Amino acid sequence: MSKKLRIGAIASGGGTNLQAIIDRCADGSLQAEIVLVISNNPDAGALDRGKRAGIPTLCIDHRHYSDREDFDQQIVAALKTAGADTIVLAGFMRIVTDTILNAFPQRVLNIHPALLPAFPGLHVQRKALEYGARFAGCTVHFVDSGVDTGPIIAQAVVPVLDDDTEQTLSARILIEEHRLYPHAIQLLAEDRLKIDGRRVRIEPTASPLNTTLINPPLSDKE
Ligand code: GAR
């Protein structure tokens, strides 16, 4: 049975992923309500996006806290007060501690602009380019106590083009992030995600993808 999620969103930057989620909530394709937007950055565009959508927003500036635990405790208190049941990290550039994970077990999601487990961490579009990968993409995963290591819910793949720069590749990935994140969150809203060790099973099973991607593409004769 589907249930409307009560999302607490945490973001550090411009908030385009947050905007995609706001938009999908507004058009009804995502059965969720964003009950609070938190940012650690007072200048984050994400706070403006939240305000424009009429969502309560809160800045909890990490620089005002002596340790990570204390900072995360403030975040948890605000999320609980707002009645959030699902935490969506949308470009949150801080490592979350067990304080948040234990308060919302298996309910913290993240989007990462790489095909995990390749390229965890920062500046990953540049790293994919420098490595010479032929494909890049993005991953939505449950958050665990590692850095970008939690069970994978969904991934989108984009080609890396010969003339790509970090900017063009990032932009191509970001377009897919905006589609992938609401899709993954909706699967959670429909209670279709079953964590089985490292694997996340979708129940009932989604129609299998049966396309193989090859880059550079084969010629018609191959
Ligand atoms: C997105 O590309 C997101 O995947 C990335 O930050 C960007 C935020 O953009 N997140 C991470 O790198 C997390 N480690 P946005 O503020 O426009 O949504």
Side-chain angles (χ1 to χ4, degrees):
M1 243 260 302
S2 346
K3 166 175 160 249
K4 198 166 181 179
L5 302 177
R6 291 178 61 80
I7 292 176
I10 316 182
S12 299
T16 65
N17 276 288
L18 172 69
Q19 188 68 54
I21 296 164
I22 290 172
D23 293 346
R24 296 291 77 77
C25 290
D27 72 18
S29 57
L30 179 50
Q31 290 165 285
E33 176 189 357
I34 304 179
V35 296
L36 181 63
V37 174
I38 296 178
S39 182
N40 61 307
N41 169 14
D43 301 321
L47 291 172
D48 299 326
R49 291 179 189 274
K51 282 181 200 139
R52 272 204 298 276
I55 300 165
T57 61
L58 184 63
C59 177
I60 302 179
D61 190 335
H62 62 280
R63 293 168 298 186
H64 298 165
Y65 296 86
S66 53
D67 62 46
R68 223 183 268 280
E69 283 298 323
D70 199 16
F71 171 66
D72 278 6
Q73 265 165 25
Q74 295 302 313
I75 289 181
V76 168
L79 292 168
K80 291 282 184 194
T81 302
D85 58 28
T86 303
I87 312 311
V88 165
L89 308 183
F92 182 49
M93 301 315 238
R94 315 280 309 165
I95 291 169
V96 303
T97 68
D98 284 347
T99 303
I100 293 179
L101 300 178
N102 292 340
F104 299 97
Q106 301 190 335
R107 301 296 286 191
V108 184
L109 272 60
N110 182 43
I111 189 155
H112 181 75
L115 292 174
L116 291 171
F119 310 116
L122 297 175
H123 310 299
V124 295
Q125 300 95 330
R126 188 199 311 160
K127 286 177 186 163
L129 209 50
E130 286 172 355
Y131 195 88
R134 288 289 186 186
F135 288 105
C138 50
T139 302
V140 178
H141 63 95
F142 286 105
V143 177
D144 66 8
S145 54
V147 176
D148 303 321
T149 53
I152 291 171
I153 299 169
Q155 294 185 302
V157 177
V158 303
V160 177
L161 307 182
D162 284 346
D163 58 356
D164 262 334
T165 62
E166 183 181 357
Q167 286 68 33
T168 59
L169 180 58
S170 300
R172 188 174 311 118
I173 293 169
L174 195 60
I175 288 169
E176 301 311 320
E177 292 186 43
H178 298 161
R179 302 197 309 156
L180 190 72
Y181 214 176
H183 173 52
I185 297 167
Q186 177 59 20
L187 291 173
L188 183 71
E190 292 171 10
D191 197 22
R192 293 178 61 191
L193 303 178
K194 309 293 169 202
I195 301 178
D196 177 8
R198 277 220 48 86
R199 300 186 71 182
V200 178
R201 300 195 184 276
I202 317 275
E203 291 177 358
T205 313
S207 328
L209 180 71
N210 59 4
T211 309
T212 301
L213 304 175
I214 300 179
N215 186 25
L218 301 181
S219 68
D220 289 346
K221 294 187 207 110
E222 288 172 293

